[in-house]
Every structure is written in structure tokens, then in C-alpha cells.
Amino acid sequence: MMTPQAIAPPPCSARNEAPTQLPELPMVSIALPPLPTSRAEMEARGWDAVDVVFVTGDAYVDHPAFAMGILGRVLEAAGFRVAILSQPDWRSAEPWRQFGRPRLFFGVSAGNMDSMINHYTANKKVRNDDAYSPGGKIGLRPDRATIPYSHRSREAFPGVPVIAGGVEASLRRLAHYDYWSDTVKRSILLDSKADLVVFGMGEQQIVEIARRLRAGETVKDLRDMRGTAYAMGASETPPADSLVLPTYDEVKTDKLKFAEATKRIHMETNPLNAKRLVQYHDRQAVVCNPPALPISQEDMDRVYGLPYTRRPHPMYKGQRIPAFEVVKDSVTIMRGCFGGCTFCSITTHQGRIIQSRSQDSILTELKKMTEDPKFSGVVSDIGGPTANMYEMRCTRPEVEAKCKRLSCVHPKVCKLLGTDHGPLIDLMKKSRETPGIEKVHVASGIRMDLAQLSPKYLEDLARHHVGGTLKVAPEHTDSNVLKLMKKPNQEDYAGFADAFAEASRKAGKKQFLVPYYIASHPGSDLNAMIELAVFLKQNGYKPDQVQDFIPAPFDIATCMYYTGRDPFTGEEVYVAQHLRDRKLQRALMQFFKPENYFLVREALLKADRADLIGGGCDCLIPAQAPKAALEARRRHANEAGQGDHYHSIANPAKGKPAGEREMQKQGYRPGRSTARRQDKKPGRGGGRPGSKSS
């Protein structure tokens, strides 16, 4: 039986307390029932109340690839009664009241994604489906879901602490640029009125929060915890040892100040040396403590060894949840990423230090999967944020403790980084030899510069773990764009392609790479995209899907998009900000589609590249528009006149309340019948018409 180990968040201050510890779990041959999602399910367990209510914008899936699945099971293992409020109707506080008053707190999350990225494409068009909802149905969560979810929690039971977490809250914990409203927004702590924001993965913090509240501490007592952020009152003074960032007013009005703040924030992301950050919003200070330290391998094994059903809650009655279908037969072997790509939030959320599970833990999970009669024998993925960083870490802990480098592999692989693929090669061998396992795929992204350091890894990958095609992400071909992304040069991709082709040939297989590229990333102008399109044609690549850059809150590339500068060098960066410019770049990546003909022609003429129009071998489009292109243009013109093509996004800067999407406008006024104060009539104490209200 697994020995219980401590999940111990190191103190942010000098406070010394007993470590947070998960209890030893009984050995069970089957998974435990999912956590209750209704009052009836709660009462069926014999409970009259719960300690914690988790509110989530996702469907409830009891699987370790889903945050609510992990956090709920971790608290359950620690002896707490937990209920899941999944995708509630946020127009009323009634769904929040069904479990009664939580003894400890509400835990609020928008879901596994930022709700705005979940709702809208890069062109700000409403997405056709929601991968985290039953049946892929859209509209089951509001815009900026953390805000209305927190408001309804307050309204349902005033005085119960509200703890916000998840990707959305983590990336919006300080002042940030919001692409969808094109404004710099203040910390989500102030708009949501949450007591704390837990940022990062959260298991360490959530257990400590529950235990300390149960012990009688107040939510203000929790402010010393790593991996948390909080807002102080106007009369409170932040800790003296904090690093003060440019204020909200400064970053909102001065793009150079925004870039300065971004640089400072990202330089304080190594939990081994990060400082506490403070950012003033008018007279209120928002305080962001250092990140939680990496979870230990023993604790990670315990987290992934909890008795998950690995299925959606039965209330969905077989409705397909697209995101679950992708990962249901996958196994997470590690967390974190030291790549530091500027357009990616993984490093910010999971950390730069790799945290790996033990081989025994992973193989035990594989064995349990084979005991499921519905398991096909095929593991869809064995990986994590990156497929080949398992058990890789700095070889000099004393240097790692001081390092401020944002990427261990850019501009070149650090000489102190341990890049041995041996543990991963051994794990892959044992996984595919597990009885009941027929095939183990690797679907997570391959870090190509690391993979080329291990011919044996590439050989085993090509021979055993690729089903004809391997997805990779070179992202671009332009050296300047790749530098801004913190990605390797194009030559690195070419070297990997050759090495993979040779490994496939030796394995007696004909296999292909499927490269992914990004359009409209900062630094990418029309000329860079045209060269990428020529490269795609020369190599016979025809991407079915195009990744369009979306400026997610907190990312370094988002700062470049908003300010037009690299925050670390101060150099100016080209940005395709207008929707038309973005459409042209996107069309160039799919130049072969007839419906893109006129956009590609416009882009080529605009860039003075008419030499690529015609019948030459490198020409992207013919001189005359094909019939299919004319028909597509006619069809598009007809559709454009049949209604509103774009969705109106809630924009508080223009007087629209945050977080309300296609719904009745109702702000945060608990106990009030309306969202706004009513103007008093003259003669009853009201001011004269046109006067300012108090």
C-alpha cells in the first residue's frame, strides 16, 4: 500500500506549521462514485451539508485530465465533503443554494480554459461548439465566467469565503490586456470580489486552505500562502519586502509601463527565488505571493493514484463531451515546461520546473485502464505539456535556485539542463509491454531540439509510438518571428524531419510529419507569411487547420501585440492588429483553398509579390480565379447579408457589465431587485435632473 506523503506548501513567511498531508487511501478494486452534483446526490450519501462547493464552467468529468476531477478527489482524500456545481445557470443565485451553506468555502473556476478563448475565435467570432460541454453545446457558461460565478457565490451565502482559481483567474490575477474588449483590465480579484485567487495547479494550496479554515483561521489569515493573490483594503499596507509593479493606472495609459510590468512579472516566476509582487489599483494594493514550489514525485503519484472513475458524471446520460473523448485513454506522466514559448500559458500555469510521476505510478494507471471492459487497448497519448521532458531538470540545484532564465532551451539548450531521454525510453518500453496494451501513441508535442539529442528515442518513437503521422509545431519559418516566440530556427525543424524520416525508414514504415504553424503572431508581417506559404507549397504541406494567434492574458506575446514592443529588449515589433490583416495571413497558410483565392491575391499584390501569381512552380495561385473561387465569393456575399456575423462581447469599458453573455443584464447587488440604483424622484430627496449621483 502506498505510504502517505506530505503535500506541503512551503511558507511564504517565517510561519512554521505541520505539513499538509493527504491520508492513506484504502486499496479499492473499483473507482469510488463521483462527487455529488445535486442535493439529492448529497443526501444519498447521508450528508446534511458540505465543506466545499466547487463551481466550474466545464462539464464534471472525474478524470485526472480535468481540474475539478483532481481537486475534488484531493479534498475528498483529505477528509472533506465536496460537491461539484457544474455549469450552473448564473442568472440566479438559486443553483448555488442547493447544497446549503458550505462550511468552509466556494471554489470558483471558469474551467480548463479561459472562458473568452473558449467562446471566441481569433477573429472574435462565436465558436460553433464548446469542447468542455456535453454535446459540445455552447452558451452554458458566461463570458469571463469567474466574475459572475463569484458574484453568485457571494449572493447565495454572504460571508462564505470565495476562492477563485483555474487558468482564467491565474492569468488575470494582475492588471492584464484583454483582447476581446481591447482594454487593459484590472485584476480579476477586484472585479470578482473573490477573497483569494489560487494560481497554478492548486492541489497544495487547496488542501491547506481547507485545513486552516476548518481549524478556525479566517480567510485573511491565509494571505501568507504561496501560490495565492489577494486584494488589500485601501487602508491596509502591503508587506515591506514586496516588489512594486507599475500601477494599474500607469499600465492602462502608458504602453511602456505595461511592457515594464510584464517584464518584471515574468522575471519573478521561478518559485525558488521569486519575490512577492504588489500592484496598486488606485488606493488598493493587489498582492501576488511567490508561486507554490513544485509538487514532489511522491505527492504527484498520490494525486494521480486517487480513485477516479475516469468518466463524465452519469447525469450526462451518454452525451459526448469532446474534450474528454480526446484524453479519456491518455496518461499524464509529467507537468511543467521549460520551453518558455512567449505565446503559451503552460509555463505560467504549470511552472518551468518539470514534475514527473514515478514509473510505478504510471504503469499502475495503465494496468487499471486495461481492467476497464470499454478500453480498446490503445493508449491515445503518454505525455504531458511536452512529450519528451520526462524527468529532465537542471543538473545544478544551487544554480537552479538562483536562475532567472525564462527558457532552458532558447536561444540554445542550457549546458546545465539534464536532457537524458533514458528514463523516458525505459518508460515507453515498459508501457507498450504492459499486458492488455496493444498500442501506445505519443500525441503530446515533441520538443524537436531535445529529441535530436537522442537517436534512440527517435528510433523507438518512430518504430512503436507513431500511427502514420506525427504532429509537431515548428510554428513559423521566419527567423525573427521564431526568435520572438522563443522557438528554434527553421533549420532545427529540417534536421528533425530528416532524422524522423530516417528512423521511420529503418523501422520499415512510411510515416509523415504534420507541422503546425501560427498566423498573425507578433513579428509576422505579410512578407514572412508569404515565405511560409511558399515553404508549405514546396514541401507539399496543406494544413487542414490553421492556428491563429490569440493574445491570451498574461503572455509575453500578448504584451508584444498590445504594446508593439518586445518587453525584454524594448525593440519595436510588427503587429497585425486589424482583422483584415489577420484574415490575409490566415488565408496565406491555406492558399490552396479556392475560397481563399481573392484574399491570397490581395495579400500578394499588397506585398508586391505578383511573381507568385500565375503558373510557375512556386506560384501560390493561378492568374485567373477558378470557378470554385468565384462561387465561394458569391456564396459569402449572400451569407453576409443574412444577419449579424459577429457576436457582441460584453465590454465594461463601454458600459456593459462583465461576464454577462446574451443574457439579462444583472450586476453584483446581492439582495437587490435590480442591478442599478434607481434615480430618486424630485421632491423625495433626489437631485436635480442631470446632476451626478453619489
Side-chain angles (χ1 to χ4, degrees):
M1 187 175 289
M2 188 180 294
T3 304
Q5 299 290 333
I7 288 186
C12 198
S13 62
R15 183 175 61 85
N16 184 19
E17 62 167 292
T20 304
Q21 185 176 13
L22 292 180
E24 186 172 350
L25 291 174
M27 291 294 290
V28 291
S29 58
I30 59 173
L32 295 180
L35 299 172
T37 61
S38 66
R39 185 166 191 87
E41 291 177 20
M42 179 188 79
E43 292 174 346
R45 291 188 172 217
W47 298 352
D48 58 351
V50 296
D51 299 309
V52 178
V53 174
F54 273 129
V55 186
T56 175
D58 291 340
Y60 172 35
V61 180
D62 186 33
H63 188 288
F66 292 77
M68 285 301 106
I70 284 184
L71 296 178
R73 290 298 189 187
V74 166
L75 279 177
E76 178 188 47
F80 296 96
R81 294 179 176 182
V82 183
I84 305 291
L85 184 57
S86 172
Q87 299 186 318
D89 183 350
W90 66 95
R91 293 163 292 188
S92 165
E94 285 308 308
W96 275 255
R97 296 189 176 108
Q98 63 180 295
F99 301 106
R101 186 182 184 90
R103 293 191 181 108
L104 299 179
F105 63 88
F106 279 104
V108 171
S109 171
N112 275 25
M113 295 175 62
D114 183 281
S115 61
M116 299 303 285
I117 296 177
N118 177 277
H119 285 162
Y120 305 103
T121 68
N123 287 334
K124 302 184 181 179
K125 181 182 177 183
V126 179
R127 296 189 188 274
N128 296 323
D129 53 32
D130 181 341
Y132 291 91
S133 293
K137 185 178 180 181
I138 64 173
L140 298 184
R141 82 188 84 203
D143 286 349
R144 306 181 178 92
T146 303
I147 297 172
Y149 284 172
S150 298
H151 291 176
R152 298 294 90 81
S153 299
R154 287 267 190 240
E155 185 177 351
F157 293 105
V160 173
V162 176
I163 312 297
V167 172
E168 180 169 279
S170 292
L171 301 185
R172 296 172 182 266
R173 62 186 183 265
L174 294 164
H176 55 279
Y177 173 72
D178 181 81
Y179 170 64
W180 300 271
S181 62
D182 194 24
T183 60
V184 175
K185 302 178 76 65
R186 59 185 189 164
S187 165
I188 200 169
L189 278 156
L190 303 179
D191 287 333
S192 69
K193 297 180 171 61
D195 293 290
L196 285 178
V197 160
V198 170
F199 60 90
M201 297 300 286
E203 298 101 336
Q204 300 181 82
Q205 300 98 307
I206 208 72
V207 172
E208 183 179 5
I209 288 169
R211 289 189 165 180
R212 290 175 65 180
L213 289 176
R214 184 174 62 182
E217 294 188 51
T218 69
V219 72
K220 280 193 175 182
D221 294 329
L222 306 178
R223 290 178 172 181
D224 60 350
M225 289 176 52
R226 282 179 170 267
T228 62
Y230 58 91
M232 306 190 77
S235 61
E236 294 182 279
T237 302
D241 59 345
S242 305
L243 175 63
V244 179
L245 301 172
T247 68
Y248 167 66
D249 286 336
E250 288 177 328
V251 300
K252 185 179 181 180
T253 57
D254 187 338
K255 292 184 177 181
L256 292 179
K257 289 291 185 182
F258 187 96
E260 178 187 341
T262 299
K263 179 180 178 179
R264 290 190 189 180
I265 290 167
H266 283 269
M267 291 300 291
E268 303 300 330
T269 53
N270 182 349
L272 302 178
N273 57 45
K275 296 184 177 72
R276 179 188 288 108
L277 303 176
V278 170
Q279 186 175 57
Y280 279 93
H281 292 59
D282 195 11
R283 292 188 302 148
Q284 274 189 285
V286 172
V287 182
C288 184
N289 288 331
L293 291 185
I295 190 170
S296 70
Q297 185 170 88
E298 294 81 6
D299 289 337
M300 198 166 175
D301 287 353
R302 289 178 52 73
V303 166
Y304 284 90
L306 293 171
Y308 305 96
T309 64
R310 296 183 66 90
R311 289 190 174 93
H313 190 278
M315 65 181 170
Y316 301 117
K317 298 179 180 178
Q319 292 185 78
R320 183 175 179 270
I321 299 172
F324 167 70
E325 297 296 328
V326 173
V327 301
K328 66 179 181 178
D329 293 328
S330 67
V331 177
T332 300
I333 64 173
M334 44 79 68
R335 288 180 183 174
C337 180
F338 47 68
C341 300
T342 59
F343 55 85
C344 181
S345 303
I346 290 175
T347 299
T348 302
H349 191 65
Q350 295 194 8
R352 188 160 53 253
I353 298 173
I354 301 302
Q355 303 136 80
S356 303
R357 295 169 62 185
S358 70
Q359 281 196 10
D360 286 345
S361 171
I362 297 164
L363 296 175
T364 297
E365 182 174 347
L366 286 170
K367 183 179 178 181
K368 287 183 178 179
M369 289 170 63
T370 65
E371 296 169 357
D372 185 345
K374 294 185 178 181
F375 178 58
S376 67
V378 178
V379 178
S380 61
D381 183 31
I382 182 168
T386 305
N388 58 325
M389 290 185 181
Y390 181 71
E391 290 200 2
M392 293 185 182
R393 192 163 176 177
C394 183
T395 58
R396 296 277 298 278
E398 71 278 10
V399 175
E400 182 183 43
K402 301 176 182 178
C403 184
K404 294 281 188 179
R405 185 169 171 172
L406 299 185
S407 173
C408 300
V409 290
H410 188 272
K412 60 182 180 179
V413 177
C414 177
K415 63 182 181 180
L416 299 182
L417 177 65
T419 60
D420 181 16
H421 282 68
L424 179 57
I425 293 169
D426 187 46
L427 173 63
M428 291 163 63
K429 180 176 185 294
K430 290 178 179 177
S431 68
R432 63 180 180 263
E433 293 176 350
T434 300
I437 299 293
E438 297 178 8
K439 182 77 174 179
V440 178
H441 289 289
V442 172
S444 299
I446 301 289
R447 186 75 197 195
M448 294 179 287
D449 46 0
L450 293 178
Q452 292 178 76
L453 300 177
S454 176
K456 175 59 176 172
Y457 171 73
L458 266 177
E459 178 185 330
D460 283 4
L461 179 72
R463 185 177 297 274
H464 300 291
H465 300 279
V466 177
T469 58
L470 178 67
K471 297 176 181 178
V472 292
E475 309 297 7
H476 217 287
T477 55
D478 183 85
S479 59
N480 180 58
V481 177
L482 290 168
K483 179 182 176 182
L484 293 171
M485 292 177 168
K486 291 192 184 298
K487 294 287 287 186
N489 283 329
Q490 171 64 15
E491 291 75 15
D492 178 80
Y493 170 68
F496 178 83
D498 291 342
F500 179 74
E502 178 61 17
S504 296
R505 185 191 64 78
K506 288 182 178 180
K509 295 184 176 182
K510 191 174 183 179
Q511 300 182 137
F512 304 94
L513 295 179
V514 179
Y516 282 77
Y517 295 94
I518 297 179
S520 305
H521 189 278
S524 178
D525 58 15
L526 275 183
N527 288 318
M529 289 304 299
I530 289 170
E531 292 306 316
L532 172 55
V534 171
F535 170 82
L536 293 175
K537 179 169 185 182
Q538 289 174 343
N539 288 273
Y541 294 137
K542 292 187 176 182
D544 289 331
Q545 296 179 329
V546 174
Q547 186 177 353
D548 217 344
F549 171 69
I550 298 180
F554 213 87
D555 289 350
I556 294 172
T558 299
C559 175
M560 297 180 196
Y561 175 87
Y562 172 61
T563 66
R565 290 182 180 275
D566 182 332
F568 291 91
T569 65
E571 296 176 357
E572 292 187 1
V573 176
Y574 171 82
V575 176
Q577 286 190 323
H578 300 293
L579 286 179
R580 189 66 179 179
D581 294 332
R582 295 171 69 90
K583 282 185 177 181
L584 295 180
Q585 292 207 21
R586 181 184 179 92
L588 282 164
M589 289 178 65
Q590 294 180 314
F591 61 89
F592 50 87
K593 289 191 172 184
E595 59 266 32
N596 288 337
Y597 176 87
F598 291 103
L599 286 172
V600 174
R601 182 182 178 86
E602 178 184 341
L604 294 175
L605 294 177
K606 189 174 182 179
D608 197 23
R609 292 300 306 272
D611 58 300
L612 296 177
I613 302 174
C617 60
D618 284 340
C619 287
L620 298 179
I621 56 174
Q624 298 298 320
K627 183 179 179 180
L630 295 170
E631 292 175 349
R633 182 168 67 173
R634 187 181 304 109
R635 184 170 59 252
H636 179 73
N638 291 337
E639 291 172 353
Q642 295 178 359
D644 183 13
H645 187 63
Y646 294 99
H647 183 74
S648 178
I649 301 174
N651 185 353
K654 297 182 180 179
K656 300 177 183 179
E660 305 295 340
R661 182 172 184 256
E662 292 186 300
M663 299 295 177
Q664 178 182 356
K665 305 297 187 291
Q666 184 174 349
Y668 171 60
R669 289 175 64 77
R672 309 290 183 118
S673 59
T674 63
R676 298 180 179 178
R677 290 188 175 91
Q678 298 295 323
D679 292 333
K680 295 183 178 180
K681 296 180 179 179
R684 298 179 61 182
R688 65 183 184 274
S691 64
K692 294 182 178 179
S693 60
S694 58

